[in-house]
Amino acid sequence: AQSVAQPEDQVNVAEGNPLTVKCTYSVSGNPYLFWYVQYPNRGLQFLLKYITGDNLVKGSYGFEAEFNKSQTSFHLKKPSALVSDSALYFCAVRDPGAGSYQLTFGKGTKLSVIP
Amino acid sequence: DGGITQSPKYLFRKEGQNVTLSCEQNLNHDAMYWYRQDPGQGLRLIYYSQIVNDFQKGDIAEGYSVSREKKESFPLTVTSAQKNPTAFYLCASISRERNSPLHFGNGTRLTVT
């Protein structure tokens, strides 16, 4: 079975400071990992994914994420936070070896960027 | 532009009534999903369909039903048997490529009183 944990319900960061949103995962094989962002009353928007290769993945809006196999983590990062980054962030995992297209989502982390 | 359309955006119903939420996609995706979102609980899978005329229960299927008569459409019916139907419902689809991300609609907020 696959699972995802986002240990922080909320992250507060000052505008211009670096931000990190944490994610750890559990799968039996090699994971496909995804980050999504959700603004109020909207659907989820895809930010970035890790499939294979370089452990540092770059995505939309200046976000990046680092895959760490030994720590089973996939933390989302941005060097300089913007107020407009304030939203709900979801990490998700898929185990391609399980033969399923299903994603398992974390419970989400609310990011608040303070002006 | 290709995408997923969910309608309506807001829906209000009286307790005891069935209600159907629409989901249409023009991305030519084979697989479609319905998720329920409640505050602090993330996304929970209700039903999914990987091909026309076939669908499977997700983690919280009780009180819900679906159909998949066309590739483009995957409507969700919230029945009177669903004990706590008030929630935000999200439809998603995905292509056959294994490393593809899910594409989401903008959701329907259902309020049952």
Side-chain angles (χ1 to χ4, degrees):
Chain A
Q2 57 196 37
S3 66
V4 174
Q6 293 181 241
E8 301 155 318
D9 292 335
Q10 175 139 4
V11 170
N12 298 322
V13 63
E15 186 177 22
N17 281 3
L19 70 87
T20 299
V21 182
K22 295 180 180 177
C23 171
T24 58
Y25 66 90
S26 174
V27 296
S28 57
N30 293 318
Y32 289 175
L33 293 156
F34 302 81
W35 274 103
Y36 288 83
V37 60
Q38 185 183 34
Y39 297 99
N41 293 311
R42 301 297 298 271
L44 276 66
Q45 297 177 33
F46 168 70
L47 279 179
L48 51 79
K49 65 182 179 183
Y50 171 82
I51 303 300
T52 187
D54 195 345
N55 289 344
L56 185 63
V57 178
K58 294 188 184 297
S60 306
Y61 313 120
F63 284 93
E64 57 189 29
E66 186 166 11
F67 172 65
N68 187 318
K69 188 170 184 178
S70 63
Q71 296 186 7
T72 62
S73 67
F74 189 55
H75 301 331
L76 181 70
K77 300 182 180 186
K78 188 173 182 180
S80 178
L82 301 172
V83 173
S84 57
D85 292 330
S86 298
L88 189 57
Y89 290 81
F90 289 96
C91 181
V93 67
R94 179 190 302 148
D95 182 355
S100 168
Y101 292 95
Q102 285 188 48
L103 285 182
T104 298
F105 288 86
K107 294 192 173 184
T109 298
K110 183 179 180 181
L111 173 67
S112 293
V113 180
I114 302 158
Chain B
D1 285 341
I4 300 176
T5 300
Q6 290 188 244
S7 60
K9 189 170 179 63
Y10 298 96
L11 192 53
F12 298 89
R13 280 294 183 269
K14 295 289 188 185
E15 198 172 315
Q17 293 179 333
N18 292 354
V19 60
T20 297
L21 282 59
S22 170
C23 177
E24 303 278 333
Q25 55 100 357
N26 60 5
L27 299 165
N28 199 33
H29 286 170
D30 288 299
M32 297 186 72
Y33 299 79
W34 274 105
Y35 290 91
R36 171 179 171 142
Q37 185 177 18
D38 297 282
Q41 294 197 48
L43 276 67
R44 292 183 290 169
L45 182 63
I46 305 172
Y47 267 99
Y48 65 100
S49 167
Q50 299 198 58
I51 197 167
V52 173
N53 292 323
D54 187 47
F55 47 82
Q56 285 78 41
K57 293 181 179 179
D59 301 319
I60 55 163
E62 185 175 350
Y64 299 97
S65 65
V66 294
S67 62
R68 187 85 187 278
E69 297 176 2
K70 299 186 299 182
K71 187 176 184 177
E72 303 79 17
S73 179
F74 191 40
L76 173 74
T77 296
V78 184
T79 75
S80 56
Q82 167 51 233
K83 291 183 173 34
N84 186 17
T86 294
F88 190 52
Y89 290 88
L90 288 161
C91 179
S93 70
I94 193 170
S95 77
R96 282 195 173 276
E97 289 186 44
R98 283 193 151 195
N99 60 4
S100 296
L102 272 178
H103 295 257
F104 283 85
N106 278 325
T108 292
R109 186 166 296 281
L110 173 65
T111 302
V112 177
T113 57

